Amino acid sequence: MKQLGIALVLIFFVSTNSFAQKGKEQSLIATYLKSNGSAVQYEYAYDQLLTMLKQKHPKTDANADGWKYLNENKAKAVADIMVDLGKVYEKHFTTEDINEMLGFYRGDAAKQMLKDRSQMTEEQKQELNAYYNSEVGKKIISKQQVLGKEIGTASEAWSRDLYETAMTLLK
């Protein structure tokens, strides 16, 4: 009986520790996706959808609740796609890889690249080249095709679900 109690405590500790690790890794990936501009792109896509929908389905008394939901749901919708993208990155990259990627995107070269690549200094261009010549950079390049496909699939599903939800709410 005592052994069963010890075994249960160990199982609980291991599974709790595993969930904590997953949570830390997902949080790290979420931070990376914010740093690399992905979150901003999906926020923009959400805004563009609302702009298009306003032209086709202006706010009326009949659809006011739908518009209220859509206007208040942006953060949740973007968080949902970030979770889906996080799963893609988690499948292909280690925590160490994500840490290196995040380190680069926190730097001036990446910030300038995201802002306006044509205005990068020579030093920033060298930093960018060094990043893509590093082990993690080579890994990113080697996985570019599969990442593009998996990210595309997640994005399409997100967009389709968002559009279908919007159409249901606004009709």
Side-chain angles (χ1 to χ4, degrees), residues 18-34 79 82-91 93-95 98 102:
S18 175
F19 286 128
Q21 282 300 108
K22 281 283 185 199
K24 285 180 187 176
E25 191 169 329
Q26 289 170 350
S27 176
L28 182 66
I29 292 170
T31 301
Y32 166 70
L33 291 170
K34 287 177 187 166
M82 292 299 108
V83 168
D84 292 343
L85 295 180
K87 291 174 186 175
V88 172
Y89 279 88
E90 191 174 38
K91 186 164 73 171
F93 298 101
T94 66
T95 301
I98 299 295
L102 182 56

Side-chain angles (χ1 to χ4, degrees), residues 2-51:
K2 187 176 180 181
Q3 289 174 336
L4 178 61
I6 292 171
L8 289 174
V9 168
L10 284 174
I11 289 170
F12 175 75
F13 176 74
V14 169
S15 60
T16 302
N17 192 31
S18 175
F19 286 128
Q21 282 300 108
K22 281 283 185 199
K24 285 180 187 176
E25 191 169 329
Q26 289 170 350
S27 176
L28 182 66
I29 292 170
T31 301
Y32 166 70
L33 291 170
K34 287 177 187 166
S35 296
N36 79 2
S38 293
V40 171
Q41 289 176 338
Y42 287 94
E43 289 170 359
Y44 178 77
Y46 193 94
D47 291 341
Q48 289 302 110
L49 174 64
L50 292 189
T51 299

Side-chain angles (χ1 to χ4, degrees), residues 9-167:
V9 168
L10 284 174
I11 289 170
F12 175 75
F13 176 74
V14 169
S15 60
T16 302
N17 192 31
S18 175
F19 286 128
Q21 282 300 108
K22 281 283 185 199
K24 285 180 187 176
E25 191 169 329
Q26 289 170 350
S27 176
L28 182 66
I29 292 170
T31 301
Y32 166 70
L33 291 170
K34 287 177 187 166
S35 296
N36 79 2
S38 293
V40 171
Q41 289 176 338
Y42 287 94
E43 289 170 359
Y44 178 77
Y46 193 94
D47 291 341
Q48 289 302 110
L49 174 64
L50 292 189
T51 299
M52 180 202 69
L53 289 171
K54 283 177 187 171
Q55 294 171 355
K56 293 184 179 186
H57 304 280
K59 185 176 178 182
T60 64
D61 289 341
N63 67 16
D65 288 340
W67 274 111
K68 182 177 190 273
Y69 175 85
L70 291 171
N71 286 320
E72 293 175 353
N73 194 52
K74 179 177 167 180
K76 183 190 178 314
V78 172
D80 289 345
I81 186 62
M82 292 299 108
V83 168
D84 292 343
L85 295 180
K87 291 174 186 175
V88 172
Y89 279 88
E90 191 174 38
K91 186 164 73 171
H92 294 283
F93 298 101
T94 66
T95 301
E96 293 77 21
D97 293 338
I98 299 295
N99 270 320
E100 284 187 49
M101 294 156 71
L102 182 56
F104 171 74
Y105 276 95
R106 284 183 168 158
D108 291 337
K111 288 177 184 173
Q112 183 59 51
M113 177 184 72
L114 292 173
K115 184 177 177 184
D116 184 354
R117 192 180 197 124
S118 69
Q119 296 297 312
M120 290 179 75
T121 65
E122 278 307 309
E123 185 178 304
Q124 290 170 333
K125 289 176 186 176
Q126 288 174 1
E127 188 178 332
L128 177 62
N129 286 335
Y131 173 67
Y132 280 110
N133 286 320
S134 70
E135 289 304 311
V136 74
K138 290 176 186 175
K139 190 172 184 179
I140 292 167
I141 291 168
S142 73
K143 293 182 173 282
Q144 209 164 16
Q145 196 169 21
V146 70
L147 285 172
K149 184 178 179 183
E150 291 179 21
I151 290 169
T153 299
S155 295
E156 287 174 24
W158 178 78
S159 297
R160 183 181 53 252
D161 291 347
L162 183 59
Y163 182 77
E164 289 172 359
T165 298
M167 293 309 295

